Amino acid sequence: ITIIFTSIRRATVAAFQTRQRAATNRPFRTQLQGMSKDDDEATTTVAIIGGGISGLSCAQHIKQYSNGKCKPTVFDTGRLRPGGRCSSRFLGDEKEGTSKATFLKSQIVDHAAQIVSVMGRNGDDNMFSKQVQEWEEKGILKRFPKGSVCEVKPHPSKPFEIVSVNGEQNADDDNKDDAAVMYYGANGMGSIPLAIASDGGFQIEQDVWVSPSNGVKYTGAKPPPNSTPRTSPPLQTKWQVKAKGQILGTFDKL
């Protein structure tokens, strides 16, 4: 089957790589790893707004690298499950207030991201490649056959041309190792966030809209006047999260 499109959605790749840089940032990661399980210090609560790939992966890594001393809670707007731009409508999902059978209800439909791509030797970082390989081994992702993903481009002498973008090179092509290897969700792209959530061991609050303008409020101590980061004593940071006029909780970190 040839898939034709005008632009490849790379939201999943970009989001994963963004959180890789954040979660593996050395000062932050060192701070998390310093929280020993034997430490008597109270558990640090962390609120994460958004249950897309970035939010879920952030929660997963915070839980992992803090040795259980951080307790992440993800607030997500999805009515049924997390995923953001990597979510899918699965079999049996019904829109509220409807019961009429339709063709789409019998199919898995991806809402946004449709392709995960891993470049060759000059492409994506090794951590992302390993993660994709793990998902492939677990049957979460499957590879598109080479040459099956195409892009429609303008052509000077005909209405358009169809160009393969996933590795249809000649055997003597020196750049064949740089070609993108593309994957699709074996049971919808929404299987990726579900896999992260199931392995993460963190709490997810579903169907919660936290307003970007007034959904979060800092309630912690303020630094003394004329103080600097070097002279100011450690402050007790607290963040209040609310939605629909109700306070959902107070957290140490946001």
Side-chain angles (χ1 to χ4, degrees), residues 149-153 161-166:
V149 182
C150 305
E151 184 173 3
V152 178
K153 290 187 174 183
E161 65 176 340
I162 299 175
V163 181
S164 170
V165 293
N166 73 321

Side-chain angles (χ1 to χ4, degrees), residues 205-223:
E205 295 293 338
Q206 213 61 57
D207 198 10
V208 177
W209 167 252
V210 178
S211 171
S213 59
N214 58 9
V216 175
K217 181 180 179 181
Y218 177 73
T219 60
K222 296 182 179 180

